[in-house]
Amino acid sequence: AAAASVYGEGAAPLLAAAGRAIDAALVGSVALPSDGQIIEYDAGKRRKPHEEVRQVVTLGGERGDEKRPGRLPWPRGIVFYEEGFGPKAKDAPPREEGSPAAPGCLVRPVRADIRALAAEWEASEAGVAVALTMELEAAGFRGDRGSVWVMERFGEMLESESTRAAARGALSAMSVLAADGCTMVGVAAVERDEHERLAERAGAAGGWRQVPSLAPLFGEHGLIVQALPCEELPEAQELDAAGAGPDDVRVPYVFTAKQMRLSEAQVEAVHAAVGEADDWADEDGFEDNLR
């Protein structure tokens, strides 16, 4: 019902295609690189080597009952941080058990429910961000290691006044916790007028594009974003999913957003590399440039 109110009644096949595309992107992102290694930030050269992504953060819930930790062919060693375990209402107890996981993988419940925090507890963006950051760290999330984040319901959350703070707060938490170069994937809602302008500019070739309405929101959180209309996904062709209907006000886009800042953990690694905080002064704004 929430998806229909945001995208229109005919969006279900497109959203199903988006879910399949996100599945493929997530499994591909954690495939072992040939020289796979855990990321350790090189403060001297200010770069990070090709890292082994072993942390998957799931935010805002999924479509369907069977969750990704147990449904997809994950390699061994993946740790899932599954948000949604705080109280969903002020008089409701929190959910205790995480989703089943693939063999050799682990689900760590995150004791925060960002949609409930925004809708039921009336938390601000900053409040959601602080709660999510604290609970992810309490669950064991490492900001000096590679991660991929997924927020499949981002568009619905952002378009709803009651959960807008949850969507924005999740971006704030990622900007603090995710290591430089880590990504988020999800589905966003693009107004039809903007979609038609972008489609005209892209021409028959189509493809990934910059979306002006999304860029400022992600940019203020240190993320660079690109997006693709769900109707252009190969998975949409496989499902024979038609494009957005003429009466649909918004069009679903799959997006990928890349972290362009250092995480707090990486900044701390820089501090350790150059000396104790009291031994140097940030006269030239060096520290500010890291975040």
Side-chain angles (χ1 to χ4, degrees):
S5 67
V6 170
Y7 300 108
E9 295 294 340
L14 292 175
L15 296 174
R20 288 192 181 186
I22 290 172
D23 288 350
L26 290 173
V27 173
S29 71
V30 299
L32 282 172
S34 57
D35 58 344
Q37 60 183 19
I38 296 297
I39 174 176
E40 294 294 345
Y41 189 72
D42 186 336
K45 297 181 179 179
R46 197 178 171 186
R47 64 177 179 83
K48 61 179 177 54
H50 188 52
E51 77 268 16
E52 180 182 21
V53 176
R54 285 292 177 266
Q55 299 180 112
V56 178
V57 181
T58 64
L59 301 169
E62 296 183 35
R63 306 185 199 283
D65 297 327
E66 194 176 1
K67 305 305 181 184
R68 287 190 172 95
R71 174 166 54 86
L72 299 178
W74 302 99
R76 299 178 68 86
I78 304 299
V79 180
F80 299 92
Y81 296 92
E82 187 177 6
E83 171 269 336
F85 288 84
K88 295 186 178 297
K90 294 182 179 180
D91 57 350
R95 186 161 60 105
E96 294 296 335
E97 295 184 4
S99 301
C105 299
L106 177 65
V107 173
R108 289 182 172 169
V110 177
R111 307 289 175 186
D113 186 314
I114 59 174
R115 288 189 294 176
L117 281 170
E120 299 290 339
W121 298 82
E122 300 178 353
S124 64
E125 172 187 344
V128 171
V130 168
L132 181 57
T133 298
M134 291 177 59
E135 293 301 334
L136 275 167
E137 291 181 325
F141 182 86
R142 292 281 301 272
D144 58 346
R145 297 186 176 182
S147 61
V148 59
W149 301 54
V150 57
M151 193 154 41
E152 191 172 353
R153 296 180 180 271
F154 178 80
E156 293 140 77
M157 293 164 61
L158 191 65
E159 293 300 328
S160 171
E161 184 176 351
S162 65
T163 55
R164 187 170 298 130
R168 296 180 63 94
L171 296 183
S172 295
M174 180 182 176
S175 73
V176 170
L177 291 178
D180 180 26
C182 292
T183 58
M184 173 184 282
V185 295
V187 181
V190 175
E191 298 290 335
R192 170 166 286 282
D193 289 347
E194 183 177 24
H195 165 67
E196 291 176 349
R197 290 195 300 271
L198 292 171
E200 183 178 358
R201 190 180 308 163
W208 291 85
R209 59 206 69 171
Q210 304 296 321
V211 180
S213 63
L214 296 179
L217 171 60
F218 284 85
E220 71 182 69
H221 294 96
L223 307 169
I224 186 169
V225 64
Q226 61 177 356
L228 180 71
C230 292
E231 61 195 44
E232 294 185 20
L233 291 167
E235 290 82 2
Q237 310 303 319
E238 295 170 5
L239 292 173
D240 196 25
D247 296 328
D248 293 344
V249 177
R250 302 178 188 88
V251 179
Y253 275 55
V254 169
F255 71 83
T256 65
K258 183 178 180 181
Q259 166 74 300
M260 303 301 290
R261 301 172 177 172
L262 302 186
S263 67
E264 285 192 348
Q266 290 176 310
V267 171
E268 290 174 3
V270 173
H271 286 178
V274 300
E276 296 297 330
D278 293 339
D279 294 340
W280 63 291
D282 186 26
E283 296 178 353
D284 298 323
F286 170 72
E287 184 180 9
D288 292 339
N289 292 332
L290 298 180
R291 293 287 303 133

